[in-house]
Amino acid sequence: MIFVTVGAQMPFDRMVKAVDEWAAARKRADVFAQIGPADYVPQHVKWTRFLEPDDFLARYREARVIVAHAGTGSILQALELGKPILVMPRRAALRETRNDHQVATAERFQSLGRVPVAWDAGDLAQALDRIDGLSSEKTLGPHASPELIARLRRFLDE
Amino acid sequence: MIGRLRKPRRRGRKKILAISSGGGHWIELMRLRPAFEGHDVVYVTVSDTYRSHVQGAKLRVVPDVTRWDRVGLVKCAARVLGVLLAERPDVVISTGALPGFFGVVLGKSLGCRTIWVDSIANVEELSMSGAKVGPFADLWLTQWRELERAGGPEYAGAIL
């Protein structure tokens, strides 16, 4: 199952539509999308608007691969579970988000070699064609870096 | 001052209020949990549905808010203040966003020690809350080395 998520806060119709059109063209019945407060309703994939955190986690666990907006939570949860994830950043210029933090986040995770990025809808369609070959990176541990934990502990012990 | 109202605690054991909004900010907060071992933690977030994440620890819920919702901002701040007065923590720690901002700012003014860990999503610049919260954070951390600066946030690793 391919699990698609755009988070709960804002629509991301550009991504949902690209996934929907790809699923139609490739006759894929194994796609489930969480679309948020979207205006565009998918015609070719199963979808829901919102998922409670527990249900969201269950979907993540069941999925073979995740396709997500470049939200920190979406990316971190995939890495923690060792699920392959493909992201597409929201763009401020298209009113998909407040500022271009998702572009920066995507660049950063991409440069760490952890997350492939589709920069636009065309990119996404091409990346989806290769998605069955996308394999899981090694799992990210459940906690922050030892350095950060140690710094916080030092402060707490003062 | 809140400090004078506190019951004395076992030596070295602190009461921590760990506060954030939902989604990514909450996931980041969860990744900091090993730092809290040996202390008492009260979690504060915007949805009761995160209860399953904190296995038995106390969780309090405050309303979520965007910066454009003036009435919501006041309500959120008031609820966070209520939680602070009820819990009287020694330390407030937040990963953002607005509820956490209120937690750190109000916590500081009530005499708590405060920690702000700016989100990993803020790669190029500190978050708006992060930039404003600096003066109220006793420990102000960024997760990107290039954002560290004297008198500004410190870099001490990332939640990765």
Side-chain angles (χ1 to χ4, degrees), chain B residues 118-137:
Chain B
D118 206 57
S119 170
I120 199 158
N122 306 311
V123 183
E124 256 113 60
E125 54 184 36
L126 283 165
S127 63
M128 192 189 273
S129 318
K132 290 201 170 88
V133 86
F136 301 93

Side-chain angles (χ1 to χ4, degrees), chain A residues 26-130:
Chain A
R26 298 286 180 263
K27 300 190 170 50
R28 297 287 292 238
D30 59 339
V31 182
F32 182 85
Q34 177 270 313
I35 64 170
D39 295 321
Y40 178 88
V41 173
Q43 305 298 307
H44 309 284
V45 305
K46 294 181 281 296
W47 58 273
T48 188
R49 285 197 184 274
F50 302 103
L51 290 165
E52 296 294 353
D54 286 352
D55 299 334
F56 187 84
L57 197 56
R59 289 279 175 183
Y60 255 58
R61 288 214 168 93
E62 286 162 16
R64 199 201 67 76
V65 59
I66 314 285
V67 179
H69 73 146
T72 315
S74 305
I75 296 171
L76 287 173
Q77 283 195 295
L79 296 177
E80 285 176 6
L81 292 169
K83 296 284 174 179
I85 180 169
L86 165 68
V87 302
M88 177 164 156
R90 294 168 178 268
R91 304 262 173 190
L94 302 172
R95 300 269 174 103
E96 289 163 347
T97 180
R98 195 164 30 82
N99 61 31
D100 272 333
H101 70 279
Q102 284 209 352
V103 173
T105 303
E107 279 171 351
R108 227 29 207 265
F109 277 99
Q110 186 183 44
S111 72
L112 294 171
R114 283 200 173 269
V115 176
V117 177
W119 296 106
D120 59 36
D123 256 7
L124 186 64
Q126 285 183 9
L128 286 167
D129 276 340
R130 296 190 303 267

Side-chain angles (χ1 to χ4, degrees), chain B residues 28-44:
Chain B
E28 292 193 49
L29 188 65
M30 291 293 93
R31 295 182 61 81
L32 302 176
R33 277 182 289 185
F36 310 150
E37 277 165 26
H39 301 289
D40 302 318
V41 191
V42 176
Y43 293 96
V44 185

